[in-house]
Amino acid sequence: MAESKERPIKVIAENRKARFNYAIEDTLEAGIALTGTEVKSIRNGKSTIAESYADPKDGEIWLINANIPEYLQANRFNHEPKRPRKLLLHRKQINKLMGAVERQGMTLVPLKMYFNERGRVKLQLALAKGKQLHDKRDTEKKRDWGREKGRIMRARG
């Protein structure tokens, strides 16, 4: 029997500030419509999603401000680094996200971009609500206390 080679999930870019700046309600996986040079550039590992967000327009969800640098070996067929990219979702998911953004004032924040087991580029998208300054302080306080508690427990034995 032939052995199937499962590729592990390889994280390309991560938005680490999102969990600090937003209270995350729900997450889902979305595909991204990319050109060939964009995929090659992503494989080089220089893309960033730190300042990006997703926005509903004309019944579709678009990833705005994600930076995928130009592929150096490509010539005139290269892509624009910060162009809007269409996210591939089911119609039910799009309607749910659009309703939450429009009615409840929530934000669509990308958490992580990765290659799945089949080698396709996927985006983990979060439905989130912006945190107030005091909420951010509470989060930081809880995280610091967790670290301190871990140190105390290790010191005790």
Side-chain angles (χ1 to χ4, degrees):
M1 285 257 173
E3 205 174 297
S4 65
K5 293 184 179 178
E6 285 279 329
R7 284 184 244 180
I9 293 174
K10 180 185 172 196
V11 176
I12 303 160
E14 200 166 1
N15 189 354
R16 296 174 58 176
K17 282 294 236 184
R19 295 194 188 275
F20 180 72
N21 291 331
Y22 298 95
I24 292 163
E25 303 284 322
D26 189 24
T27 62
L28 61 131
E29 182 182 71
I32 310 173
L34 299 171
T35 63
T37 55
E38 287 175 325
V39 175
K40 287 184 175 198
S41 180
I42 286 172
R43 288 199 189 279
N44 287 341
K46 300 286 186 229
S47 58
T48 57
I49 56 169
E51 293 141 12
S52 62
Y53 61 96
D55 195 29
K57 279 186 197 146
D58 303 326
E60 297 173 337
I61 308 286
W62 294 84
L63 181 65
I64 311 292
N65 210 19
N67 185 27
I68 298 175
E70 289 185 344
Y71 184 59
L72 298 176
Q73 283 79 13
N75 48 16
R76 63 184 179 179
F77 301 110
N78 224 330
H79 63 276
E80 200 178 312
K82 287 204 172 198
R83 75 173 182 89
R85 292 166 178 92
K86 185 178 174 182
L87 295 180
L88 307 173
L89 293 161
H90 293 285
R91 175 61 46 202
K92 265 186 180 175
Q93 292 174 323
I94 292 172
N95 292 339
K96 176 186 165 198
L97 294 175
M98 286 176 70
V101 168
E102 290 169 4
R103 284 190 285 280
Q104 300 169 7
M106 301 189 100
T107 309
L108 296 173
V109 182
L111 297 178
K112 145 181 15 172
M113 187 187 294
Y114 56 92
F115 285 108
N116 69 353
E117 304 86 28
R118 295 178 57 201
R120 306 268 195 246
V121 179
K122 299 289 182 178
L123 186 78
Q124 186 179 23
L125 195 63
L127 190 59
K129 206 172 198 92
K131 281 187 185 177
Q132 301 285 328
L133 184 62
H134 60 86
D135 293 332
K136 292 179 187 179
R137 286 191 198 125
D138 289 343
T139 303
E140 201 168 335
K141 210 181 288 184
K142 285 177 187 174
R143 187 174 55 229
D144 288 346
W145 171 239
R147 281 193 198 128
E148 193 62 37
K149 194 164 56 171
R151 286 187 195 121
I152 292 170
M153 294 303 280
R154 276 194 299 275
R156 269 193 189 165

